Amino acid sequence: MNQPRLATKQDMPRVLELINELAIYEKEPDAVEVTVADLEKDGFGDDKKFTCFVIEDNNTVEGLALVYTRYSTWKGNVLHLEDLIVNEKHRGKGFGKKLLDTVVKHGKNLGVKRVSWEVLDWNEPAITFYEKNGANVMRDWDVVHLDKTGIENYLKAL
C-alpha cells in the first residue's frame, strides 16, 4: 500500500467518484452537486479552497481526505476534515488510518490548535475508528446548516 500524497487535478474525476460513493453510503445519493470542474477550480485555482490527500492501491485512488482551514473564536486557526473516504472494498486495510495520520500531521505543520470533523451518529464503524485513534466524538453537539433553499427562504423572510 502506498502512502497518502497530495491530490492532483488529474485525480479529481476519481475523487468525485469517491464522493458519490460516500453520498450513497450516507443515504444521500442525490445530494452531490459539486463537479470535477468545481473540484479542479476550488482545489487548484488562484483562490484555493481546500487541500486533498489521496491514497492509491494498484495505481488507482481508493481513498481521500479533504481538508481546509477555518477560524475558531475559541482556538484560532483550526483544520476541518470535510471528508475521509475509503472505497468500500478497501476498508479495514489501514487506508483510513494512513489518511488520518496525514491529516493530523498536516494540521500540526500548519500550527492549528484543533482538527475537527463530523460523523453521522449511526456510523458506528467510523465512530469506533475515530475514538480508537484518540478523537473526542462530541455526541451532545448537533450540526446546523442552511442549504441553498434554506438560504433563499431565510433571505425572503427578512
Side-chain angles (χ1 to χ4, degrees), residues 57-153:
D57 186 40
N58 293 319
N59 297 314
T60 300
V61 171
E62 299 295 358
L64 71 93
L66 191 143
V67 299
Y68 56 90
T69 56
R70 64 183 205 193
Y71 197 83
S72 164
T73 56
W74 289 7
K75 300 294 181 186
N77 285 330
V78 299
L79 186 66
H80 182 78
L81 172 59
E82 180 63 23
D83 280 316
L84 191 154
I85 306 168
V86 175
N87 175 279
E88 188 173 4
K89 295 175 187 171
H90 289 78
R91 292 183 193 145
K93 297 180 180 178
F95 285 67
K97 175 74 165 94
K98 286 183 179 280
L99 285 164
L100 186 59
D101 293 350
T102 300
V103 167
V104 174
K105 289 175 188 174
H106 180 65
K108 175 73 171 168
N109 290 338
L110 292 175
V112 301
K113 304 276 179 69
R114 179 175 67 208
V115 178
S116 60
W117 63 96
E118 290 87 30
V119 61
L120 291 169
D121 62 358
W122 57 260
N123 193 346
E124 284 301 325
I127 291 168
T128 300
F129 169 73
Y130 295 138
E131 288 179 334
K132 177 181 157 191
N133 285 285
N136 176 21
V137 178
M138 301 172 72
R139 295 173 192 262
D140 54 340
W141 284 70
D142 290 322
V143 176
V144 179
H145 74 252
L146 287 171
D147 62 10
K148 187 175 178 180
T149 302
I151 293 167
E152 293 300 323
N153 290 339

